[in-house]
């Protein structure tokens, strides 16, 4: 294949792995990123507009605004660029956002298929669920925005009849995975407040637990919003209205409405899953067995044509440009003297 004809170039820069594993510090990552970008052979052609970086948090590579402002970022994070309070940034995230919905793609996190099966197995029919709404998670006191919204849920809703809120500052206060699955499978609604960043895995868990997700994160753009009408299966509620009005609203929604939300979620939820990498089949083969069960019971084409990978490809196809030049404007016209077709062209 001729790389000069490529629509996009994927740059496998997994900075989060290097940072979390303690292999490189933030300043070392920044230096490595700058060196890498300068060596990319086709980057200058479009000023990086056709280069794709997969970044858990964009500001792991703090110099991206200067080095690759036009590049495409695949990231779950659509608000801040690192797990910290907005006030801790040197740059105002509102003025210099790490996510641009016109060029970047919000993606879901990787979920183990065994966890998907556990959530699905604990899901009761909506009419048999005694809990109106539930949330379980850490308060994250070191991130101001996370602490504010999660504390507000605990303070305003925990004592309401039919609500189950399990939130604390210590990991010891969190529910084990099986108990979490049972709680979500017993709830008609699952509250999804922002976590250490705008997104939370609770949203993706809710799709498999069968509860209607109530997103409480004002600046979170859900993955693949251009592909699906997310309002058909998600309720997004303003953070500043986490009070009696939210409780009363959830309380009065009739069961048939919830069932429509649940049915809409079932139609699209497989698009938020990734098939496990084949390397995970080595050893005991549990990943392979989980994939076969998920494809048999839930997502028939997960490994071939209906997954988060395919959704990303569909979005990138929409952003493909005719011109492979760096200029924002391109020009094209038919050849002089070219014969007209039957439709006039």
């Amino acid at each position: 294949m001729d790389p000069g004809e490529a629509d996009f170039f994927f740059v496998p820069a997994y900075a989060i792995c290097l940072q979390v594993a303690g292999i490189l510090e933030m300043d070392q990552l920044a230096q490595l990123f700058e060196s890498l970008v300068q060596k990319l052979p086709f980057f200058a052609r479009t000023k990086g507009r056709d280069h794709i970086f997969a970044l858990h948090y964009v500001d792991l590579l703090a110099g991206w605004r200067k080095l690759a402002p036009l590049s495409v970022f695949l990231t779950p994070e659509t608000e801040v660029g690192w797990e910290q309070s907005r006030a801790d940034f040197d740059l105002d995230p509102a003025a210099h956002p790490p996510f641009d919905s016109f060029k970047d793609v919000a993606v879901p996190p990787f979920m183990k298929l065994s966890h998907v099966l556990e959530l699905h197995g604990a899901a009761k029919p909506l009419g048999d669920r005694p809990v109106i709404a539930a949330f379980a998670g850490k308060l994250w006191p070191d991130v101001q925005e996370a602490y504010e919204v999660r504390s507000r849920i605990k303070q305003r809703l925990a004592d309401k009849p039919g609500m189950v809120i399990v939130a604390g500052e210590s990991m010891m206060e969190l529910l084990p995975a099986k108990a979490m699955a049972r709680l979500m499978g017993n709830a008609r609604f699952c509250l999804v407040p922002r976590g250490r960043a705008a997104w939370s895995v609770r949203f993706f868990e809710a799709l498999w637990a069968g509860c209607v997700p109530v997103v409480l994160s004002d600046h979170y753009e859900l993955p693949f919003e251009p592909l699906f009408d997310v309002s058909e299966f998600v309720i997004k509620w303003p953070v500043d209205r986490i009070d009696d009005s939210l409780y009363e609203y959830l309380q009065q929604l009739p069961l048939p409405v919830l069932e429509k939300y649940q049915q809409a979620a079932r139609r699209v939820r497989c698009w938020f899953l990734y098939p496990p990498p084949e390397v995970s089949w080595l050893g005991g083969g549990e990943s392979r067995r989980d994939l076969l069960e998920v494809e048999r019971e839930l997502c028939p084409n997960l490994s071939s044509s209906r997954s988060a990978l395919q959704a990303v490809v569909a979005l990138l196809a929409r952003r493909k440009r005719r011109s492979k030049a760096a200029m924002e404007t391109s020009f094209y016209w038919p050849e002089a003297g070219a014969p007209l077709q039957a439709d006039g062209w």
Side-chain angles (χ1 to χ4, degrees):
M1 297 179 64
D2 180 4
E5 295 299 316
D7 295 311
F8 294 99
F9 296 89
F10 180 72
V11 185
Y14 303 109
I16 189 67
C17 302
L18 299 172
Q19 192 273 336
V20 172
I23 298 173
L24 293 175
E25 298 297 331
M26 296 285 284
D27 57 342
Q28 294 173 309
L29 283 171
Q31 293 173 8
L32 186 60
F33 177 56
E34 182 174 356
S35 173
L36 168 70
V37 169
Q38 293 173 350
K39 294 177 182 178
L40 294 173
F42 292 91
F43 192 85
R45 183 181 66 171
T46 64
K47 297 183 180 178
R49 192 182 59 214
D50 54 4
H51 281 58
I52 301 169
F53 295 84
L55 297 172
H56 190 65
Y57 295 99
V58 174
D59 278 329
L60 270 168
L61 308 176
W64 71 267
R65 292 176 178 85
K66 177 182 178 182
L67 296 169
L70 302 180
S71 295
V72 178
F73 296 106
L74 306 183
T75 176
E77 180 51 57
T78 64
E79 181 192 17
V80 297
W82 182 241
E83 295 182 345
Q84 59 187 16
S85 304
R86 290 170 66 95
D88 294 332
F89 281 93
D90 293 331
L91 294 171
D92 177 7
H96 303 275
F99 184 85
D100 182 346
S101 59
F102 290 102
K103 70 176 183 67
D104 300 328
V105 178
V107 296
F110 180 80
M111 283 182 62
K112 294 184 67 174
L113 298 186
S114 57
H115 187 40
V116 170
L117 292 168
E118 184 175 54
L119 290 163
H120 178 70
K124 293 182 178 179
L126 280 173
D128 296 340
R129 301 188 181 206
V131 177
I132 296 174
F135 168 69
K138 195 174 178 182
L139 291 175
W140 300 120
D142 59 325
V143 178
Q144 179 183 346
E145 288 78 16
Y147 188 71
E148 286 178 354
V149 64
R150 293 182 172 216
S151 296
R152 190 166 184 167
I153 290 172
K154 185 175 183 179
Q155 295 164 3
R156 301 293 185 91
L157 301 176
D159 295 333
K160 302 288 187 185
M163 303 292 286
V164 177
I165 309 297
V166 183
E169 296 187 14
S170 168
M171 297 295 289
M172 300 297 293
E173 300 175 74
L174 303 184
L175 294 180
K178 289 185 182 295
M180 175 76 75
R182 287 194 298 270
L183 174 59
M184 298 180 76
N186 267 322
R188 295 187 175 191
F189 300 92
C190 288
L191 305 182
V192 185
R194 59 160 295 141
R196 294 186 63 80
W199 70 283
S200 168
V201 72
R202 294 289 174 268
F203 169 73
F204 306 96
E205 292 174 331
L207 300 179
W208 299 102
C211 47
V212 177
V214 181
V215 173
L216 302 168
S217 182
D218 294 351
H219 304 292
Y220 178 40
E221 179 176 320
L222 298 172
F224 314 142
E225 285 192 14
L227 298 179
F228 313 117
D229 183 357
V230 296
S231 66
E232 292 183 351
F233 61 96
V234 180
I235 294 171
K236 190 172 184 182
W237 191 266
V239 167
D240 62 5
R241 291 182 57 193
I242 300 176
D243 50 31
D244 289 352
S245 65
L246 173 57
Y247 176 69
E248 292 165 1
Y249 174 78
L250 298 179
Q251 206 178 22
Q252 58 86 30
L253 277 180
L255 186 60
V257 173
L258 273 61
E259 289 172 340
K260 287 185 177 180
Y261 271 74
Q262 188 185 69
Q263 291 165 8
R266 286 174 177 167
R267 289 194 294 269
V268 303
R269 62 187 180 181
C270 294
W271 292 102
F272 295 93
L273 284 182
Y274 301 92
E278 292 189 12
V279 68
S280 67
W281 301 352
L282 302 176
E286 292 86 357
S287 293
R288 177 64 173 166
R289 289 193 291 271
D290 291 340
L291 175 61
L292 292 174
E293 184 174 353
V294 166
E295 290 197 315
R296 183 175 62 250
E297 301 292 336
L298 300 172
C299 304
N301 303 312
L302 181 63
S303 60
S304 58
S305 61
R306 196 181 186 198
S307 69
L309 294 174
Q310 296 300 323
V312 169
V313 170
L315 286 175
L316 291 175
R318 296 183 180 188
R319 299 175 188 198
K320 182 176 65 174
R321 289 173 59 96
R322 288 177 179 265
S323 172
K324 292 180 172 61
M327 299 299 292
E328 291 299 317
T329 303
S330 57
F331 304 94
Y332 26 84
W333 52 82
E335 293 183 21
L340 295 178
Q341 303 298 321
D343 61 0
W345 291 94

